[in-house]
Amino acid sequence: MATQRVDIESQSSRAQTLTCSSIFNKVDRHISLKFHEVVYTVKIKKIGWMKKTNNLQTLEKQILKGITGMVVPGEMLAMLGPSGCGKTTLLTALGGRLGGNLNGTITYNDKPFSSIMKRYTGFVTQDDVLYPHLTVTETLVFTALLRLPKDFTSHEKVMHAEAVINQLRLTRCKNIIIGGPNLRGVSGGERKRVSIGQEMLINPSLLFLDEPTSGLDSTTAQRIVSTLTELARGGRTIVMTIHQPSSKLFYTFHKVLLLSEGNSLFFGKGSDVMAYFDSIGFSPSVAMNPSDFLLDLANGISSEDSSCSDQNEMKQKLGLAYKSNLDENLKAEVLAVNNDIHVNDVSESMKHERWMTTWWQQVTILLRRGVKERRHEFFSTIKISQVIAVSFLTGLLWWQSKTSHLQDQSGLLFFYTGFWGFFPLFQAIFTFPQEILMLEKERASGMYRLSSYFVSRTLGDLPMEMVLPTLFCIITYWMAGLKPTFGSFIYTLFALLLSVLVSQGLGLALGALVMDQQSATILGSVIMLSFTLAGGYYVQHVPAFISWIKFVSISQHTYKLLIGSQYEHDQTYQCGNRTCLVEDFPAINSVGLDGQVTSIAILVVMLVFYRVIAYLALMRIGMPGN
């Protein structure tokens, strides 16, 4: 009983702490970031105009050219420079998210980046990648459920999200949707604070931000940076890129790194930057914003007008001055082990568990989030109206057709295969291309397994994928006067739903492989048209050299199952003045009434195969894992 009482009191105390504590409190683990001679090179393939492909040349371009620096807990480092100077590339490299030809040394507490270190690292991208139809509260709560440890209860995670909302002053808009380009929601500053809040949920010791004030007015930008300053005071290490901050913002930065064309022009205290450039002969002719002055220098523009050649000469002079005055001392400081900074060894104090939640928890949370985000699609009036309208039109055109009208009935069954081949295919093609940015962001943060996302996304799409064809079949089957037995209706519905799932799988595979909606749509149209033409209705005598298409045709196997649901061997129909066998009718004889089990097996194999292809294609996105 005593042990149970202690556990209950412990949980109650922790819940109270989550509710009342501030996210600006000191972190338990401090991280000192050092980077030495960081070089990043990309390969550029160049081919001349009207040249053959064997004249293809591969050129190398250095984006980062030996960048060195360090930032310790409690400090905020701002990386400045003109567009294309390498700020975002360097930030991505420091955040452990840059692959490719990266050289140099980047250490965290004098150790390389690891999956354990990722637990204590937050990364806020320049573009706020958020679900537009979720509210601020829903966005942060679902993030908390995924990113906080599994030993926290769901209630504690929700309270933690509420604490972040309060501390980031998002209470006023907590029940407003995020919004998007064509959907009214929260303001730009509030959206940026939501993005920061998603990272603050894990109480990161190291926080990276890419252009956190981009596109914001000066007042909103000031609030964002003030928030970051408070976070730094709690012992966090903060690194950000920023384009052109105001004077007030500039002097809040503890350290400044000025980049120009991948080279360092200055690294040191923000309060020392003007004095440094004045000491090497560069000072503004009039009082001006320090960041404006630094950007002019990085662009090779002095206080006087300069020609293009003088600008290059000036950049070289600034680079040489940096190497002569700052570079050697900075490298010595970075390479030295600083015993004055007390840092906790993250790897020793952290359990070596890769995922914060179990696989099943991830599936259920992602499923709930996906349903909330896409509920407007699930209950789309346009989509439902489209299917109902086509259903009644089909039922009226084939109204109470009889077996004697075998051409009409077989045409209706093949229409089933065509309509429900293209409809789910195009719906599924857009699935992954529309979520690529979100998947990259969350996978890079290690929020969940790829398999959890894939299973939840597939399950979340089942309602619309199953409900609409079922509604279509119920309406058209009885209006068209198909075989009036319950068993035949169930078999028809089974064949239709199986075809829908296979077509959806093909769409998922194409979308994941191509990741371009227009290209995937064109490719999907060509493939499905090929399947339709080889489906056995339009062409009964397919040439041998191309007849293999019918064996992989979704339309062929679906049409065979639908024919089998309506007709039997030795069944006859009235053809003119005589009686003919149904199985001898050309549109039926081409596919035959035999081999029903084989077609079902082939469709099941396709259902699994296409989804496996889609999953394997998605594995290249974000961090590796399953």
Side-chain angles (χ1 to χ4, degrees):
M1 288 295 293
T3 303
Q4 184 179 4
R5 186 181 298 111
V6 170
D7 291 340
I8 295 174
E9 290 176 356
S10 175
Q11 291 182 5
S12 176
S13 175
R14 183 171 62 180
Q16 186 177 5
T17 302
L18 285 173
T19 307
C20 303
S21 66
S22 169
I23 62 170
F24 304 123
N25 284 347
K26 293 183 178 181
V27 291
D28 296 331
R29 299 169 180 85
H30 296 154
I31 297 177
S32 178
L33 172 64
K34 297 180 181 180
F35 46 101
H36 177 258
E37 289 289 337
V38 176
V39 177
Y40 183 66
T41 306
V42 295
K43 292 183 178 180
I44 303 174
K45 293 183 178 180
K46 183 179 181 181
I47 182 170
W49 183 64
M50 295 296 290
K51 290 184 179 180
K52 297 180 180 179
T53 53
N54 56 6
N55 289 332
L56 191 67
Q57 296 178 346
T58 301
L59 304 177
E60 288 191 347
K61 180 181 179 181
Q62 275 194 343
I63 306 299
L64 301 176
K65 305 173 183 178
I67 309 299
T68 300
M70 67 177 295
V71 55
V72 299
E75 289 184 341
M76 182 163 54
L77 168 64
M79 297 190 291
L80 284 77
S83 299
C85 68
K87 301 189 301 293
T88 299
T89 303
L90 178 58
L91 187 80
T92 308
L94 298 179
R97 299 187 175 204
L98 186 65
N101 192 7
L102 180 65
N103 297 308
T105 304
I106 304 175
T107 61
Y108 311 79
N109 293 350
D110 296 319
K111 295 184 178 181
F113 190 80
S114 64
S115 58
I116 302 300
M117 183 62 64
K118 191 195 309 181
R119 297 280 184 88
Y120 295 94
T121 302
F123 197 106
V124 181
T125 57
Q126 180 177 353
D127 298 322
D128 300 314
V129 183
L130 302 167
Y131 282 115
H133 293 89
L134 295 182
T135 66
V136 170
T137 299
E138 289 171 343
T139 299
L140 292 174
V141 165
F142 281 121
T143 304
L145 292 173
L146 286 168
R147 299 193 71 176
L148 292 179
K150 53 191 171 187
D151 57 334
F152 285 81
T153 67
S154 297
H155 180 61
E156 290 172 343
K157 292 181 179 181
V158 171
M159 287 193 297
H160 197 77
E162 290 285 349
V164 170
I165 289 173
N166 294 332
Q167 294 297 335
L168 290 178
R169 297 183 291 277
L170 292 168
T171 307
R172 184 182 64 84
C173 61
K174 62 185 296 186
N175 295 319
I176 301 177
I177 62 172
I178 298 297
N182 300 314
L183 184 64
R184 187 179 180 87
V186 298
S187 66
E190 290 167 338
R191 190 178 294 112
K192 179 60 66 178
R193 276 182 278 160
V194 172
S195 296
I196 296 175
Q198 285 186 308
E199 303 304 317
M200 292 313 303
L201 284 167
I202 62 172
N203 193 24
S205 302
L206 179 58
L207 182 61
F208 297 96
L209 304 101
D210 189 11
E211 301 276 5
T213 61
S214 177
L216 303 179
D217 60 81
S218 58
T219 302
T220 305
Q222 179 64 43
R223 289 175 181 171
I224 295 293
V225 176
S226 296
T227 301
L228 297 175
T229 303
E230 291 184 64
L231 295 175
R233 287 178 188 149
R236 295 173 181 84
T237 304
I238 296 180
V239 182
M240 72 169 75
T241 64
I242 195 163
H243 185 63
Q244 205 163 3
S246 64
S247 300
K248 189 174 181 181
L249 290 184
F250 182 85
Y251 287 111
T252 61
F253 304 141
H254 301 97
K255 287 181 178 178
V256 171
L257 170 61
L258 179 63
L259 295 174
S260 175
E261 298 180 353
N263 294 296
S264 294
L265 300 184
F266 175 83
F267 183 89
K269 295 180 180 179
S271 56
D272 296 340
V273 64
M274 299 302 287
Y276 165 75
F277 283 108
D278 183 59
S279 68
I280 60 174
F282 295 94
S283 58
S285 57
V286 295
M288 62 186 301
N289 182 346
S291 63
D292 293 337
F293 175 64
L294 295 181
L295 285 177
D296 286 344
L297 293 179
N299 283 308
I301 302 173
S302 64
S303 56
E304 300 178 356
D305 293 335
S306 302
S307 66
C308 186
S309 60
D310 289 335
Q311 290 177 7
N312 293 330
E313 185 178 332
M314 179 178 168
K315 292 178 184 178
Q316 293 177 0
K317 183 178 179 181
L318 289 169
L320 291 173
Y322 170 81
K323 291 181 179 179
S324 301
N325 298 296
L326 300 175
D327 194 41
E328 293 301 324
N329 291 334
L330 178 59
K331 288 180 179 178
E333 184 181 1
V334 169
L335 294 175
V337 178
N338 196 338
N339 295 321
D340 294 333
I341 302 174
H342 176 70
V343 294
N344 302 92
D345 191 345
V346 172
S347 61
E348 292 181 359
S349 58
M350 186 70 187
K351 293 182 179 179
H352 290 267
E353 294 182 11
R354 182 172 184 182
W355 307 106
M356 302 297 271
T357 52
T358 64
W359 184 87
W360 181 245
Q361 286 175 331
Q362 292 172 7
V363 171
T364 54
I365 295 168
L366 290 171
L367 181 59
R368 286 166 49 199
R369 187 182 71 174
V371 170
K372 278 184 174 291
E373 167 59 22
R374 297 190 301 277
R375 57 195 169 192
H376 65 287
E377 296 180 13
F378 292 163
F379 304 103
S380 171
T381 304
I382 296 178
K383 192 179 296 183
I384 296 174
S385 300
Q386 175 187 0
V387 173
I388 292 178
V390 173
S391 301
F392 278 103
L393 179 61
T394 302
L396 292 174
L397 288 173
W398 273 277
W399 178 260
Q400 297 299 312
S401 62
K402 301 177 182 179
T403 307
S404 58
H405 302 147
L406 201 56
Q407 177 66 41
D408 291 346
Q409 284 196 344
S410 61
L412 172 62
L413 297 176
F414 195 76
F415 175 73
Y416 273 36
T417 69
F419 183 72
W420 289 107
F422 281 95
F423 192 87
L425 174 75
F426 291 135
Q427 296 293 323
I429 277 178
F430 301 131
T431 298
F432 297 129
Q434 288 177 341
E435 293 201 354
I436 178 66
L437 294 178
M438 181 65 72
L439 187 58
E440 286 178 339
K441 169 191 169 184
E442 295 184 337
R443 290 277 293 146
S445 299
M447 288 179 63
Y448 46 74
R449 300 169 176 85
L450 178 59
S451 56
S452 303
Y453 166 80
F454 190 80
V455 170
S456 67
R457 193 67 172 88
T458 303
L459 292 177
D461 287 341
L462 283 180
M464 286 301 290
E465 295 297 338
M466 305 294 278
V467 169
L468 289 182
T470 300
L471 181 63
F472 175 88
C473 188
I474 291 174
I475 295 173
T476 59
Y477 191 91
W478 303 108
M479 289 183 67
L482 295 176
K483 192 172 183 179
T485 63
F486 184 71
S488 297
F489 169 74
I490 293 298
Y491 191 16
T492 302
L493 180 60
F494 165 75
L496 187 62
L497 294 180
L498 182 58
S499 170
V500 166
L501 293 178
V502 176
S503 298
Q504 182 201 31
L506 176 60
L508 293 175
L510 292 176
L513 286 169
V514 180
M515 278 300 174
D516 178 77
Q517 295 181 10
Q518 184 176 3
S519 300
T521 301
I522 295 173
L523 182 59
S525 299
V526 172
I527 293 175
M528 191 55 70
L529 280 173
S530 302
F531 287 168
T532 302
L533 293 174
Y537 182 79
Y538 296 122
V539 183
Q540 280 85 43
H541 306 288
V542 180
F545 65 88
I546 201 173
S547 61
W548 58 269
I549 296 180
K550 65 183 182 181
F551 297 109
V552 295
S553 170
I554 300 174
S555 302
Q556 162 92 359
H557 297 292
T558 305
Y559 182 48
K560 179 188 284 287
L561 294 181
L562 293 175
I563 291 294
S565 71
Q566 298 299 307
Y567 311 112
E568 301 173 358
H569 288 290
D570 301 326
Q571 184 177 348
T572 61
Y573 72 102
Q574 195 69 30
C575 53
N577 297 325
R578 58 193 181 90
T579 302
C580 304
L581 288 174
V582 169
E583 58 185 333
D584 291 336
F585 187 77
I588 297 177
N589 184 53
S590 60
V591 296
L593 295 176
D594 296 322
Q596 296 284 304
V597 176
T598 302
S599 289
I600 292 175
I602 291 175
L603 287 176
V604 171
V605 170
M606 288 182 180
L607 186 149
V608 176
F609 174 74
Y610 288 139
R611 280 167 170 74
V612 170
I613 294 297
Y615 180 80
L616 294 177
L618 290 177
M619 289 183 69
R620 70 182 189 269
I621 299 173
M623 302 304 292
N626 52 23

